[in-house]
Amino acid sequence: MSATPETPPPEAIKIAEQNDRFRTTWGADFTVPGQIVMTRGVADLSPATKAIIMQRVQGFDTFTEDNDPYGDHSFGTFDIEMAGDSHRIFWKIDLYDTDYAMGSDDPANLAVTRRVLTILHASEY
C-alpha cells in the first residue's frame, strides 16, 4: 500500500515523531541528538520574549499541508507580539550527518542523524 497525500510515508512519520520529541523537550531528550540555534534577530530579544518563543515552539501542534507538506513536522510558524507589533516567527528542523557537515544519508536513523532546530524571524528566512 502506498502513501497518499493525506498519509505520509512511514519514514516521514518516524522522522515527525523524532522531530516532535526533540522540539517538545527542547533537546533534553538525548535519544534524539541535536542542537538548537537562533538567529541574531531572535537572540537579541529580551529573555522574557525568548521564553515565550521557546514555549510556543515546544507547544506547536498546528501542522497542515501548507506548513508540513512532507508530514515530517520540520517547520512551523506563529505570530508573537513584541513592543506592540506583531512579528512572524519561524522554526525549522534540518537533519544532518553526525559531523553537521551535510544532510543525513538516513534521516530516520538516530545513530547517523543530528538535528538542528533554528528559530528565526520570518524576515530572516
Side-chain angles (χ1 to χ4, degrees):
M1 180 173 137
S2 65
T4 66
E6 298 82 32
T7 306
E11 182 178 64
I13 293 170
K14 185 174 184 178
I15 292 169
E17 187 273 332
Q18 294 167 355
N19 284 344
D20 286 346
R21 274 192 303 163
F22 183 73
R23 180 180 50 77
T24 61
T25 66
W26 203 247
D29 180 343
F30 299 118
T31 64
V32 185
Q35 54 186 286
I36 298 169
V37 298
M38 60 187 72
T39 60
R40 173 57 49 202
V42 174
D44 287 344
L45 296 172
S46 73
T49 301
K50 287 187 284 195
I52 292 166
I53 290 171
M54 181 180 98
Q55 289 172 335
R56 296 282 303 275
V57 170
Q58 286 180 292
F60 188 88
D61 65 357
T62 51
F63 295 101
T64 67
E65 286 186 30
D66 288 335
N67 68 17
D68 190 33
Y70 305 108
D72 61 3
H73 294 190
S74 63
F75 179 83
T77 183
F78 56 87
D79 293 322
I80 186 168
E81 290 292 322
M82 292 183 276
D85 293 322
S86 182
H87 295 269
R88 173 114 337 176
I89 300 294
F90 286 174
W91 62 264
K92 65 186 191 88
I93 298 175
D94 294 301
L95 307 175
Y96 290 93
D97 65 8
T98 57
D99 294 326
Y100 295 96
M102 62 182 70
S104 176
D105 289 333
D106 186 3
N109 182 345
L110 292 172
V112 299
T113 302
R114 300 297 177 265
R115 282 162 172 73
V116 175
L117 169 58
T118 305
I119 316 295
L120 61 151
H121 288 279
S123 62
E124 297 174 304
Y125 192 71

